[in-house]
Amino acid sequence: MADQARACPEWESTLPLHALGALEGEEARTVASHVRECPACAQRVRDLEAAADSLAFAVPAATASAHVRTELLRRAEPLPPAPRPWQHPVRMPIWAVGLAAALLVAVPTASAVVLLNEHAALQRQGERVSALEQRAASGVPRVPDRSRAARVVSLPGSAAAPAVTGELAWHPSVGQVALAIHHLPPAPLGRTYQAWLRHDREWISLGLLVTNAAGDGLLLVPLPATLAAYDAFWLSDEPVGGSVQPNGPRIIVARLA
Amino acid sequence: MTASLQPPDAELVRACAARDVRALGAIYDRWHRPVLGLLSRMLDDRGHAEDILQEVFYEFWRTAGAGPVEHVVLPNWLFRRARHRAIDLVRQQGVRARTATVLASFAPEPGDDPAEETWLRLRNQEVRRALRELPDAERRVLTLCYFGGLTQSEVAAATGAPLGTVKTRARRGLQRLEAALRGEAWTERQREERTRHG
């Protein structure tokens, strides 16, 4: 083994277990810390990891179902053009502020204050209501309103994000929907959260969700039809700039019908 | 001896960094089978294995697009990420179940499946030969650690061996495997001499 890296003698006996991921607790942290600082031991670990990784070749290979490849490449496709910037500012009458405040009853007071203060920032978010307006103006058949009362839907997190909760509420007077999300972890680098409603297999984006440090976010969006017109709500993890339809991991999935 | 693959993995990784989805498809076609083979050995549920398979390749795609890719060496990067995700899932099942699954499902086999691709078949033969040369106790520790995701303490509890013995078997087993894959004879005396003289 002429080319084998010369690890520190006092660490040599534990490096193989580190390479196998079999150390635990304080010992694991101590060895990992040393490896980060010692180039020789780091190289030795890389050599040992390469040997350990060869074990994967000892078992028979398996062929995946065709949909795995199809779905992978679909997710990796280049991003579509960014959605047309939303050009109409959201008008925020007093009642809408009240509705938002009502949704935040369960949120700690400090978070509620922060969210209300971020209302101005949300007005500039510029997302997707234009699509809703176009649909309303184009005469796309709407499901008749089944109820004129405000409707609030509780939104549980998915297995991917069980701590996330939310509420979706629609106010009939001016046809606006309010979405409040709690305990949402920061979006991964290069990613953002996007809210969706589904009507008869068509997805409508409610917008990109911006959260504060506590993981709370709020969207207030004009919506011409009652929530009963839609059969599902999703919150998904999408590339920065958003998507034309939900492609990324689902954070919240809720039936509305 | 393994045949070289064309185009080289490094070239495909660079193409992925340049956001060529076709390169991702080529990498998936080349490596998804051994990655799924590993996941299928570690996980009882085929659905979980395929879910993790897709997530690993998608994680690779995101990693390739996020920064320098010199550290991404295939297929080891894929194996490592797949194993990491599978261990997270496997550790929920409890040590007893994992021990039984790993020991019952893995045993040195005399022959190879003729349906495997030539490259994989050669690599498979090479690694299995190296494993057969290990003492049973060392091979058992390696398979429990690698395929079962057991820690050294869990291996000690599962095999009834003292922790120090487990450490020694893991160290010797991995070093013997490394030497065997390099085509080198390995003896304890040679190893000690190398360590002593640095």
Side-chain angles (χ1 to χ4, degrees), chain A residues 1 4 6 12 20 22 24 27 44 52-55 57-58 60 62-65 69 71 75, chain B residues 29 32-33 46 50 54-55 58 80 83 124 128 151-153 167 175 178 181 184 191 194 198:
Chain A
M1 295 182 279
Q4 189 181 66
R6 303 291 201 273
E12 179 69 43
L20 287 166
E24 55 207 322
E27 186 180 20
R44 183 72 188 112
D53 288 333
S54 69
L55 290 170
F57 287 109
T63 301
S65 306
R69 188 183 195 278
E71 180 68 11
R75 291 170 72 184
Chain B
D29 292 339
H32 94 266
R33 292 182 62 236
R46 178 62 175 238
E50 289 196 345
Q54 186 188 140
E55 289 305 316
Y58 189 63
R80 215 160 296 154
R83 184 169 168 264
N124 178 268
R128 286 183 174 180
T151 63
Q152 57 182 355
S153 300
K167 285 176 178 282
Q175 289 170 343
E178 182 187 26
L181 292 174
E184 298 173 8
R191 189 73 199 96
R194 188 171 185 81

mmCIF file of all heavy atoms in Angstrom, chain A residues 1 4 6 12 20 22 24 27 44 52-55 57-58 60 62-65 69 71 75, chain B residues 29 32-33 46 50 54-55 58 80 83 124 128 151-153 167 175 178 181 184 191 194 198:
data_model
loop_
_atom_site.group_PDB
_atom_site.id
_atom_site.type_symbol
_atom_site.label_atom_id
_atom_site.label_comp_id
_atom_site.label_asym_id
_atom_site.label_seq_id
_atom_site.Cartn_x
_atom_site.Cartn_y
_atom_site.Cartn_z
ATOM 1 N N MET A 1 0.831 -1.188 0.000
ATOM 2 C CA MET A 1 0.000 0.000 0.000
ATOM 3 C C MET A 1 0.873 1.248 0.000
ATOM 4 O O MET A 1 0.826 2.073 0.896
ATOM 5 C CB MET A 1 -0.899 -0.014 1.250
ATOM 6 C CG MET A 1 -1.904 -1.164 1.228
ATOM 7 S SD MET A 1 -2.999 -1.123 2.668
ATOM 8 C CE MET A 1 -1.955 -1.884 3.890
ATOM 9 N N GLN A 4 -0.781 4.717 0.367
ATOM 10 C CA GLN A 4 -1.740 4.952 1.438
ATOM 11 C C GLN A 4 -1.344 6.189 2.230
ATOM 12 O O GLN A 4 -0.183 6.429 2.548
ATOM 13 C CB GLN A 4 -1.763 3.741 2.371
ATOM 14 C CG GLN A 4 -2.884 3.793 3.388
ATOM 15 C CD GLN A 4 -2.832 2.579 4.287
ATOM 16 O OE1 GLN A 4 -1.892 2.418 5.046
ATOM 17 N NE2 GLN A 4 -3.808 1.708 4.167
ATOM 18 N N ARG A 6 -0.706 8.705 5.260
ATOM 19 C CA ARG A 6 -0.141 8.486 6.569
ATOM 20 C C ARG A 6 -0.981 9.232 7.582
ATOM 21 O O ARG A 6 -0.748 10.406 7.831
ATOM 22 C CB ARG A 6 1.308 8.976 6.599
ATOM 23 C CG ARG A 6 2.212 8.351 5.577
ATOM 24 C CD ARG A 6 2.463 6.887 5.899
ATOM 25 N NE ARG A 6 3.681 6.420 5.248
ATOM 26 C CZ ARG A 6 3.724 5.940 4.005
ATOM 27 N NH1 ARG A 6 2.636 5.887 3.281
ATOM 28 N NH2 ARG A 6 4.878 5.553 3.502
ATOM 29 N N GLU A 12 -5.415 6.413 13.962
ATOM 30 C CA GLU A 12 -5.520 5.378 12.933
ATOM 31 C C GLU A 12 -6.587 4.332 13.270
ATOM 32 O O GLU A 12 -7.309 3.864 12.393
ATOM 33 C CB GLU A 12 -4.150 4.716 12.758
ATOM 34 C CG GLU A 12 -4.125 3.607 11.730
ATOM 35 C CD GLU A 12 -4.309 4.101 10.311
ATOM 36 O OE1 GLU A 12 -3.707 5.129 9.943
ATOM 37 O OE2 GLU A 12 -5.088 3.467 9.563
ATOM 38 N N LEU A 20 -16.967 4.297 8.278
ATOM 39 C CA LEU A 20 -18.183 3.480 8.197
ATOM 40 C C LEU A 20 -19.385 4.186 8.811
ATOM 41 O O LEU A 20 -20.494 3.682 8.725
ATOM 42 C CB LEU A 20 -17.967 2.147 8.911
ATOM 43 C CG LEU A 20 -17.063 1.143 8.195
ATOM 44 C CD1 LEU A 20 -16.659 0.020 9.152
ATOM 45 C CD2 LEU A 20 -17.751 0.567 6.974
ATOM 46 N N ALA A 22 -19.834 4.511 11.999
ATOM 47 C CA ALA A 22 -20.227 3.662 13.121
ATOM 48 C C ALA A 22 -19.848 4.240 14.476
ATOM 49 O O ALA A 22 -20.154 3.631 15.498
ATOM 50 C CB ALA A 22 -19.596 2.271 12.968
ATOM 51 N N GLU A 24 -20.145 7.089 17.510
ATOM 52 C CA GLU A 24 -21.327 7.753 18.057
ATOM 53 C C GLU A 24 -20.923 8.716 19.157
ATOM 54 O O GLU A 24 -19.838 8.616 19.720
ATOM 55 C CB GLU A 24 -22.307 6.705 18.593
ATOM 56 C CG GLU A 24 -21.693 5.764 19.605
ATOM 57 C CD GLU A 24 -22.370 4.393 19.650
ATOM 58 O OE1 GLU A 24 -23.603 4.333 19.513
ATOM 59 O OE2 GLU A 24 -21.656 3.393 19.820
ATOM 60 N N GLU A 27 -17.284 10.627 20.913
ATOM 61 C CA GLU A 27 -16.188 10.081 20.117
ATOM 62 C C GLU A 27 -16.353 10.462 18.652
ATOM 63 O O GLU A 27 -15.390 10.847 17.994
ATOM 64 C CB GLU A 27 -16.121 8.557 20.271
ATOM 65 C CG GLU A 27 -14.904 7.947 19.581
ATOM 66 C CD GLU A 27 -14.842 6.427 19.737
ATOM 67 O OE1 GLU A 27 -15.889 5.812 20.041
ATOM 68 O OE2 GLU A 27 -13.738 5.864 19.563
ATOM 69 N N ARG A 44 -6.863 9.931 4.558
ATOM 70 C CA ARG A 44 -6.986 8.517 4.939
ATOM 71 C C ARG A 44 -8.461 8.137 5.026
ATOM 72 O O ARG A 44 -8.854 7.046 4.598
ATOM 73 C CB ARG A 44 -6.293 8.287 6.286
ATOM 74 C CG ARG A 44 -6.299 6.843 6.722
ATOM 75 C CD ARG A 44 -5.353 6.021 5.879
ATOM 76 N NE ARG A 44 -5.517 4.590 6.177
ATOM 77 C CZ ARG A 44 -6.024 3.708 5.323
ATOM 78 N NH1 ARG A 44 -6.403 4.110 4.109
ATOM 79 N NH2 ARG A 44 -6.139 2.441 5.655
ATOM 80 N N ALA A 52 -15.053 1.368 1.705
ATOM 81 C CA ALA A 52 -16.368 1.020 2.256
ATOM 82 C C ALA A 52 -17.440 1.126 1.183
ATOM 83 O O ALA A 52 -18.329 0.275 1.085
ATOM 84 C CB ALA A 52 -16.692 1.933 3.439
ATOM 85 N N ASP A 53 -17.353 2.175 0.344
ATOM 86 C CA ASP A 53 -18.361 2.362 -0.696
ATOM 87 C C ASP A 53 -18.359 1.215 -1.695
ATOM 88 O O ASP A 53 -19.378 0.940 -2.336
ATOM 89 C CB ASP A 53 -18.131 3.689 -1.424
ATOM 90 C CG ASP A 53 -18.483 4.891 -0.565
ATOM 91 O OD1 ASP A 53 -19.347 4.752 0.326
ATOM 92 O OD2 ASP A 53 -17.886 5.964 -0.780
ATOM 93 N N SER A 54 -17.225 0.547 -1.828
ATOM 94 C CA SER A 54 -17.178 -0.575 -2.767
ATOM 95 C C SER A 54 -18.099 -1.703 -2.335
ATOM 96 O O SER A 54 -18.503 -2.530 -3.165
ATOM 97 C CB SER A 54 -15.747 -1.102 -2.894
ATOM 98 O OG SER A 54 -15.348 -1.732 -1.689
ATOM 99 N N LEU A 55 -18.457 -1.727 -1.057
ATOM 100 C CA LEU A 55 -19.376 -2.765 -0.585
ATOM 101 C C LEU A 55 -20.722 -2.698 -1.309
ATOM 102 O O LEU A 55 -21.424 -3.703 -1.415
ATOM 103 C CB LEU A 55 -19.583 -2.634 0.923
ATOM 104 C CG LEU A 55 -18.380 -3.011 1.794
ATOM 105 C CD1 LEU A 55 -18.610 -2.616 3.241
ATOM 106 C CD2 LEU A 55 -18.105 -4.506 1.706
ATOM 107 N N PHE A 57 -21.156 -2.541 -4.302
ATOM 108 C CA PHE A 57 -21.093 -3.386 -5.496
ATOM 109 C C PHE A 57 -21.225 -4.860 -5.161
ATOM 110 O O PHE A 57 -21.325 -5.694 -6.066
ATOM 111 C CB PHE A 57 -19.782 -3.158 -6.240
ATOM 112 C CG PHE A 57 -19.719 -1.838 -6.957
ATOM 113 C CD1 PHE A 57 -18.902 -0.830 -6.496
ATOM 114 C CD2 PHE A 57 -20.471 -1.617 -8.086
ATOM 115 C CE1 PHE A 57 -18.847 0.390 -7.153
ATOM 116 C CE2 PHE A 57 -20.417 -0.402 -8.758
ATOM 117 C CZ PHE A 57 -19.608 0.605 -8.285
ATOM 118 N N ALA A 58 -21.210 -5.196 -3.870
ATOM 119 C CA ALA A 58 -21.278 -6.596 -3.498
ATOM 120 C C ALA A 58 -22.686 -7.148 -3.601
ATOM 121 O O ALA A 58 -22.877 -8.367 -3.627
ATOM 122 C CB ALA A 58 -20.753 -6.791 -2.078
ATOM 123 N N PRO A 60 -26.553 -7.392 -5.467
ATOM 124 C CA PRO A 60 -27.050 -7.325 -6.846
ATOM 125 C C PRO A 60 -27.653 -5.968 -7.159
ATOM 126 O O PRO A 60 -28.333 -5.372 -6.324
ATOM 127 C CB PRO A 60 -28.123 -8.423 -6.886
ATOM 128 C CG PRO A 60 -27.825 -9.314 -5.728
ATOM 129 C CD PRO A 60 -27.214 -8.442 -4.685
ATOM 130 N N ALA A 62 -30.267 -3.409 -8.995
ATOM 131 C CA ALA A 62 -31.713 -3.518 -9.180
ATOM 132 C C ALA A 62 -32.169 -2.420 -10.135
ATOM 133 O O ALA A 62 -31.628 -1.321 -10.125
ATOM 134 C CB ALA A 62 -32.441 -3.397 -7.842
ATOM 135 N N THR A 63 -33.154 -2.710 -10.937
ATOM 136 C CA THR A 63 -33.668 -1.747 -11.908
ATOM 137 C C THR A 63 -34.899 -1.063 -11.330
ATOM 138 O O THR A 63 -35.830 -1.740 -10.880
ATOM 139 C CB THR A 63 -34.036 -2.454 -13.222
ATOM 140 O OG1 THR A 63 -32.867 -3.098 -13.730
ATOM 141 C CG2 THR A 63 -34.547 -1.452 -14.244
ATOM 142 N N ALA A 64 -34.901 0.251 -11.372
ATOM 143 C CA ALA A 64 -36.010 1.007 -10.807
ATOM 144 C C ALA A 64 -37.187 1.050 -11.779
ATOM 145 O O ALA A 64 -37.030 0.856 -12.987
ATOM 146 C CB ALA A 64 -35.568 2.426 -10.470
ATOM 147 N N SER A 65 -38.358 1.351 -11.237
ATOM 148 C CA SER A 65 -39.542 1.568 -12.067
ATOM 149 C C SER A 65 -39.289 2.753 -12.992
ATOM 150 O O SER A 65 -38.581 3.688 -12.633
ATOM 151 C CB SER A 65 -40.758 1.851 -11.187
ATOM 152 O OG SER A 65 -40.915 0.825 -10.225
ATOM 153 N N ARG A 69 -37.202 7.613 -13.207
ATOM 154 C CA ARG A 69 -36.396 8.414 -14.137
ATOM 155 C C ARG A 69 -37.209 9.560 -14.720
ATOM 156 O O ARG A 69 -36.734 10.696 -14.797
ATOM 157 C CB ARG A 69 -35.878 7.517 -15.257
ATOM 158 C CG ARG A 69 -34.872 8.204 -16.176
ATOM 159 C CD ARG A 69 -34.456 7.274 -17.296
ATOM 160 N NE ARG A 69 -33.273 7.723 -17.991
ATOM 161 C CZ ARG A 69 -33.272 8.645 -18.958
ATOM 162 N NH1 ARG A 69 -34.398 9.223 -19.318
ATOM 163 N NH2 ARG A 69 -32.138 8.992 -19.546
ATOM 164 N N GLU A 71 -39.821 11.108 -13.517
ATOM 165 C CA GLU A 71 -40.089 12.146 -12.520
ATOM 166 C C GLU A 71 -38.822 12.929 -12.205
ATOM 167 O O GLU A 71 -38.849 14.153 -12.043
ATOM 168 C CB GLU A 71 -40.651 11.495 -11.246
ATOM 169 C CG GLU A 71 -40.978 12.461 -10.133
ATOM 170 C CD GLU A 71 -42.142 13.368 -10.433
ATOM 171 O OE1 GLU A 71 -42.855 13.121 -11.432
ATOM 172 O OE2 GLU A 71 -42.333 14.345 -9.696
ATOM 173 N N ARG A 75 -38.365 16.983 -12.814
ATOM 174 C CA ARG A 75 -38.013 17.922 -11.750
ATOM 175 C C ARG A 75 -36.767 18.723 -12.116
ATOM 176 O O ARG A 75 -36.609 19.867 -11.693
ATOM 177 C CB ARG A 75 -37.758 17.162 -10.452
ATOM 178 C CG ARG A 75 -39.001 16.546 -9.845
ATOM 179 C CD ARG A 75 -38.633 15.604 -8.711
ATOM 180 N NE ARG A 75 -38.169 16.330 -7.538
ATOM 181 C CZ ARG A 75 -37.720 15.740 -6.438
ATOM 182 N NH1 ARG A 75 -37.643 14.426 -6.379
ATOM 183 N NH2 ARG A 75 -37.325 16.456 -5.396
ATOM 184 N N ASP B 29 -28.854 6.612 -15.741
ATOM 185 C CA ASP B 29 -28.858 5.336 -16.455
ATOM 186 C C ASP B 29 -27.645 4.498 -16.075
ATOM 187 O O ASP B 29 -27.732 3.270 -15.999
ATOM 188 C CB ASP B 29 -28.858 5.581 -17.968
ATOM 189 C CG ASP B 29 -30.162 6.202 -18.446
ATOM 190 O OD1 ASP B 29 -31.181 6.085 -17.730
ATOM 191 O OD2 ASP B 29 -30.150 6.835 -19.527
ATOM 192 N N HIS B 32 -27.983 4.126 -11.497
ATOM 193 C CA HIS B 32 -29.152 3.941 -10.628
ATOM 194 C C HIS B 32 -29.301 2.501 -10.162
ATOM 195 O O HIS B 32 -29.796 2.250 -9.055
ATOM 196 C CB HIS B 32 -30.432 4.435 -11.300
ATOM 197 C CG HIS B 32 -31.206 3.379 -12.044
ATOM 198 N ND1 HIS B 32 -31.061 3.133 -13.381
ATOM 199 C CD2 HIS B 32 -32.148 2.496 -11.603
ATOM 200 C CE1 HIS B 32 -31.866 2.157 -13.738
ATOM 201 N NE2 HIS B 32 -32.542 1.748 -12.692
ATOM 202 N N ARG B 33 -28.844 1.542 -10.964
ATOM 203 C CA ARG B 33 -29.057 0.151 -10.593
ATOM 204 C C ARG B 33 -28.233 -0.258 -9.370
ATOM 205 O O ARG B 33 -28.772 -0.858 -8.429
ATOM 206 C CB ARG B 33 -28.816 -0.749 -11.792
ATOM 207 C CG ARG B 33 -29.897 -0.566 -12.884
ATOM 208 C CD ARG B 33 -29.702 -1.496 -14.062
ATOM 209 N NE ARG B 33 -29.797 -2.882 -13.629
ATOM 210 C CZ ARG B 33 -28.853 -3.784 -13.837
ATOM 211 N NH1 ARG B 33 -27.740 -3.441 -14.472
ATOM 212 N NH2 ARG B 33 -29.005 -5.025 -13.429
ATOM 213 N N ARG B 46 -39.661 -1.572 -1.064
ATOM 214 C CA ARG B 46 -39.194 -1.169 -2.389
ATOM 215 C C ARG B 46 -39.615 0.266 -2.705
ATOM 216 O O ARG B 46 -38.871 1.011 -3.347
ATOM 217 C CB ARG B 46 -39.766 -2.120 -3.440
ATOM 218 C CG ARG B 46 -39.385 -1.782 -4.873
ATOM 219 C CD ARG B 46 -37.905 -1.840 -5.129
ATOM 220 N NE ARG B 46 -37.624 -1.610 -6.540
ATOM 221 C CZ ARG B 46 -36.975 -2.462 -7.312
ATOM 222 N NH1 ARG B 46 -36.521 -3.590 -6.798
ATOM 223 N NH2 ARG B 46 -36.778 -2.191 -8.587
ATOM 224 N N GLU B 50 -37.100 3.286 -3.826
ATOM 225 C CA GLU B 50 -37.195 4.074 -5.067
ATOM 226 C C GLU B 50 -37.372 5.565 -4.760
ATOM 227 O O GLU B 50 -36.863 6.414 -5.483
ATOM 228 C CB GLU B 50 -38.343 3.561 -5.934
ATOM 229 C CG GLU B 50 -38.047 2.208 -6.556
ATOM 230 C CD GLU B 50 -38.982 1.859 -7.705
ATOM 231 O OE1 GLU B 50 -40.027 2.519 -7.840
ATOM 232 O OE2 GLU B 50 -38.658 0.926 -8.464
ATOM 233 N N GLN B 54 -34.682 8.400 -6.114
ATOM 234 C CA GLN B 54 -34.960 9.629 -6.865
ATOM 235 C C GLN B 54 -34.419 10.855 -6.128
ATOM 236 O O GLN B 54 -33.825 11.747 -6.735
ATOM 237 C CB GLN B 54 -36.461 9.795 -7.102
ATOM 238 C CG GLN B 54 -36.771 10.984 -8.013
ATOM 239 C CD GLN B 54 -38.249 11.309 -8.125
ATOM 240 O OE1 GLN B 54 -38.633 12.454 -8.146
ATOM 241 N NE2 GLN B 54 -39.097 10.292 -8.198
ATOM 242 N N GLU B 55 -34.614 10.867 -4.794
ATOM 243 C CA GLU B 55 -34.158 12.031 -4.023
ATOM 244 C C GLU B 55 -32.636 12.159 -4.067
ATOM 245 O O GLU B 55 -32.104 13.259 -4.097
ATOM 246 C CB GLU B 55 -34.639 11.929 -2.582
ATOM 247 C CG GLU B 55 -36.141 12.137 -2.426
ATOM 248 C CD GLU B 55 -36.614 13.449 -3.031
ATOM 249 O OE1 GLU B 55 -35.944 14.492 -2.831
ATOM 250 O OE2 GLU B 55 -37.641 13.430 -3.741
ATOM 251 N N TYR B 58 -31.731 13.580 -7.409
ATOM 252 C CA TYR B 58 -32.129 14.984 -7.480
ATOM 253 C C TYR B 58 -31.212 15.828 -6.605
ATOM 254 O O TYR B 58 -30.859 16.951 -6.981
ATOM 255 C CB TYR B 58 -33.588 15.155 -7.057
ATOM 256 C CG TYR B 58 -34.114 16.557 -7.313
ATOM 257 C CD1 TYR B 58 -34.185 17.050 -8.619
ATOM 258 C CD2 TYR B 58 -34.515 17.383 -6.271
ATOM 259 C CE1 TYR B 58 -34.649 18.333 -8.867
ATOM 260 C CE2 TYR B 58 -34.977 18.661 -6.517
ATOM 261 C CZ TYR B 58 -35.054 19.131 -7.808
ATOM 262 O OH TYR B 58 -35.508 20.402 -8.059
ATOM 263 N N ARG B 80 -22.937 7.130 -0.915
ATOM 264 C CA ARG B 80 -22.867 7.707 0.419
ATOM 265 C C ARG B 80 -24.158 8.441 0.778
ATOM 266 O O ARG B 80 -24.677 8.303 1.889
ATOM 267 C CB ARG B 80 -21.678 8.663 0.490
ATOM 268 C CG ARG B 80 -20.980 8.680 1.837
ATOM 269 C CD ARG B 80 -19.592 9.240 1.725
ATOM 270 N NE ARG B 80 -18.760 8.401 0.884
ATOM 271 C CZ ARG B 80 -17.706 8.834 0.205
ATOM 272 N NH1 ARG B 80 -17.359 10.091 0.248
ATOM 273 N NH2 ARG B 80 -16.994 8.014 -0.522
ATOM 274 N N ARG B 83 -26.929 5.833 1.263
ATOM 275 C CA ARG B 83 -26.768 5.110 2.524
ATOM 276 C C ARG B 83 -27.150 6.002 3.704
ATOM 277 O O ARG B 83 -27.803 5.557 4.648
ATOM 278 C CB ARG B 83 -25.328 4.634 2.638
ATOM 279 C CG ARG B 83 -25.058 3.784 3.843
ATOM 280 C CD ARG B 83 -23.694 3.108 3.770
ATOM 281 N NE ARG B 83 -23.386 2.542 5.068
ATOM 282 C CZ ARG B 83 -22.656 3.147 5.986
ATOM 283 N NH1 ARG B 83 -22.108 4.325 5.729
ATOM 284 N NH2 ARG B 83 -22.434 2.578 7.157
ATOM 285 N N ASN B 124 -18.721 -6.398 -9.226
ATOM 286 C CA ASN B 124 -19.395 -7.253 -8.261
ATOM 287 C C ASN B 124 -18.506 -8.448 -7.895
ATOM 288 O O ASN B 124 -18.328 -8.792 -6.732
ATOM 289 C CB ASN B 124 -20.722 -7.706 -8.855
ATOM 290 C CG ASN B 124 -21.489 -8.635 -7.941
ATOM 291 O OD1 ASN B 124 -21.358 -9.855 -8.037
ATOM 292 N ND2 ASN B 124 -22.286 -8.071 -7.038
ATOM 293 N N ARG B 128 -16.933 -9.106 -4.151
ATOM 294 C CA ARG B 128 -17.332 -10.330 -3.462
ATOM 295 C C ARG B 128 -16.125 -11.208 -3.175
ATOM 296 O O ARG B 128 -16.043 -11.860 -2.131
ATOM 297 C CB ARG B 128 -18.359 -11.084 -4.297
ATOM 298 C CG ARG B 128 -19.731 -10.428 -4.270
ATOM 299 C CD ARG B 128 -20.740 -11.235 -5.051
ATOM 300 N NE ARG B 128 -22.073 -10.675 -4.899
ATOM 301 C CZ ARG B 128 -23.144 -11.180 -5.473
ATOM 302 N NH1 ARG B 128 -23.055 -12.271 -6.216
ATOM 303 N NH2 ARG B 128 -24.329 -10.611 -5.298
ATOM 304 N N THR B 151 -24.235 1.285 14.730
ATOM 305 C CA THR B 151 -23.055 1.892 15.330
ATOM 306 C C THR B 151 -22.204 0.792 15.958
ATOM 307 O O THR B 151 -22.651 -0.360 16.085
ATOM 308 C CB THR B 151 -23.449 2.902 16.405
ATOM 309 O OG1 THR B 151 -24.128 2.191 17.458
ATOM 310 C CG2 THR B 151 -24.386 3.970 15.840
ATOM 311 N N GLN B 152 -21.010 1.162 16.393
ATOM 312 C CA GLN B 152 -20.126 0.165 16.997
ATOM 313 C C GLN B 152 -20.755 -0.451 18.243
ATOM 314 O O GLN B 152 -20.642 -1.668 18.462
ATOM 315 C CB GLN B 152 -18.776 0.799 17.351
ATOM 316 C CG GLN B 152 -18.870 1.994 18.273
ATOM 317 C CD GLN B 152 -17.503 2.622 18.551
ATOM 318 O OE1 GLN B 152 -16.475 2.119 18.131
ATOM 319 N NE2 GLN B 152 -17.498 3.751 19.266
ATOM 320 N N SER B 153 -21.455 0.352 19.041
ATOM 321 C CA SER B 153 -22.109 -0.169 20.238
ATOM 322 C C SER B 153 -23.233 -1.137 19.864
ATOM 323 O O SER B 153 -23.426 -2.175 20.521
ATOM 324 C CB SER B 153 -22.669 0.963 21.089
ATOM 325 O OG SER B 153 -21.650 1.832 21.505
ATOM 326 N N LYS B 167 -14.301 -2.783 17.501
ATOM 327 C CA LYS B 167 -13.446 -1.751 16.901
ATOM 328 C C LYS B 167 -12.320 -2.394 16.090
ATOM 329 O O LYS B 167 -12.028 -1.989 14.966
ATOM 330 C CB LYS B 167 -12.836 -0.871 17.990
ATOM 331 C CG LYS B 167 -13.779 0.128 18.636
ATOM 332 C CD LYS B 167 -13.043 0.866 19.769
ATOM 333 C CE LYS B 167 -13.896 1.914 20.439
ATOM 334 N NZ LYS B 167 -13.986 3.140 19.641
ATOM 335 N N GLN B 175 -9.549 -2.417 6.462
ATOM 336 C CA GLN B 175 -8.196 -2.322 5.915
ATOM 337 C C GLN B 175 -7.882 -3.523 5.024
ATOM 338 O O GLN B 175 -7.240 -3.378 3.989
ATOM 339 C CB GLN B 175 -7.185 -2.206 7.062
ATOM 340 C CG GLN B 175 -7.249 -0.848 7.760
ATOM 341 C CD GLN B 175 -6.427 -0.797 9.034
ATOM 342 O OE1 GLN B 175 -6.054 -1.830 9.588
ATOM 343 N NE2 GLN B 175 -6.151 0.414 9.498
ATOM 344 N N GLU B 178 -9.736 -2.950 1.796
ATOM 345 C CA GLU B 178 -9.038 -1.940 1.008
ATOM 346 C C GLU B 178 -7.838 -2.553 0.294
ATOM 347 O O GLU B 178 -7.624 -2.336 -0.900
ATOM 348 C CB GLU B 178 -8.590 -0.796 1.936
ATOM 349 C CG GLU B 178 -7.884 0.345 1.236
ATOM 350 C CD GLU B 178 -7.318 1.351 2.214
ATOM 351 O OE1 GLU B 178 -7.039 0.961 3.367
ATOM 352 O OE2 GLU B 178 -7.149 2.524 1.818
ATOM 353 N N LEU B 181 -8.886 -4.947 -2.536
ATOM 354 C CA LEU B 181 -9.365 -4.252 -3.730
ATOM 355 C C LEU B 181 -8.216 -3.621 -4.503
ATOM 356 O O LEU B 181 -8.318 -3.374 -5.699
ATOM 357 C CB LEU B 181 -10.388 -3.185 -3.340
ATOM 358 C CG LEU B 181 -11.716 -3.730 -2.799
ATOM 359 C CD1 LEU B 181 -12.606 -2.611 -2.299
ATOM 360 C CD2 LEU B 181 -12.437 -4.558 -3.860
ATOM 361 N N GLU B 184 -3.565 -6.145 -3.133
ATOM 362 C CA GLU B 184 -2.394 -6.297 -2.287
ATOM 363 C C GLU B 184 -2.680 -7.322 -1.192
ATOM 364 O O GLU B 184 -3.788 -7.410 -0.665
ATOM 365 C CB GLU B 184 -2.050 -4.961 -1.625
ATOM 366 C CG GLU B 184 -1.698 -3.863 -2.618
ATOM 367 C CD GLU B 184 -1.524 -2.523 -1.949
ATOM 368 O OE1 GLU B 184 -1.524 -2.474 -0.706
ATOM 369 O OE2 GLU B 184 -1.394 -1.517 -2.672
ATOM 370 N N ARG B 191 0.812 -4.138 8.490
ATOM 371 C CA ARG B 191 0.026 -2.976 8.877
ATOM 372 C C ARG B 191 0.667 -2.281 10.074
ATOM 373 O O ARG B 191 0.779 -1.056 10.102
ATOM 374 C CB ARG B 191 -1.391 -3.441 9.245
ATOM 375 C CG ARG B 191 -2.348 -2.324 9.455
ATOM 376 C CD ARG B 191 -2.733 -1.678 8.125
ATOM 377 N NE ARG B 191 -3.285 -0.351 8.378
ATOM 378 C CZ ARG B 191 -2.543 0.748 8.306
ATOM 379 N NH1 ARG B 191 -1.278 0.681 7.972
ATOM 380 N NH2 ARG B 191 -3.083 1.903 8.548
ATOM 381 N N ARG B 194 3.758 -0.431 9.054
ATOM 382 C CA ARG B 194 3.464 0.794 8.325
ATOM 383 C C ARG B 194 3.044 1.905 9.295
ATOM 384 O O ARG B 194 3.459 3.043 9.160
ATOM 385 C CB ARG B 194 2.342 0.526 7.326
ATOM 386 C CG ARG B 194 2.095 1.675 6.388
ATOM 387 C CD ARG B 194 1.135 1.278 5.287
ATOM 388 N NE ARG B 194 0.999 2.350 4.345
ATOM 389 C CZ ARG B 194 1.859 2.608 3.378
ATOM 390 N NH1 ARG B 194 2.939 1.876 3.217
ATOM 391 N NH2 ARG B 194 1.668 3.621 2.558
ATOM 392 N N GLY B 198 5.276 5.233 10.006
ATOM 393 C CA GLY B 198 4.641 6.425 9.447
ATOM 394 C C GLY B 198 4.781 6.650 7.944
ATOM 395 O O GLY B 198 5.360 5.915 7.227
#
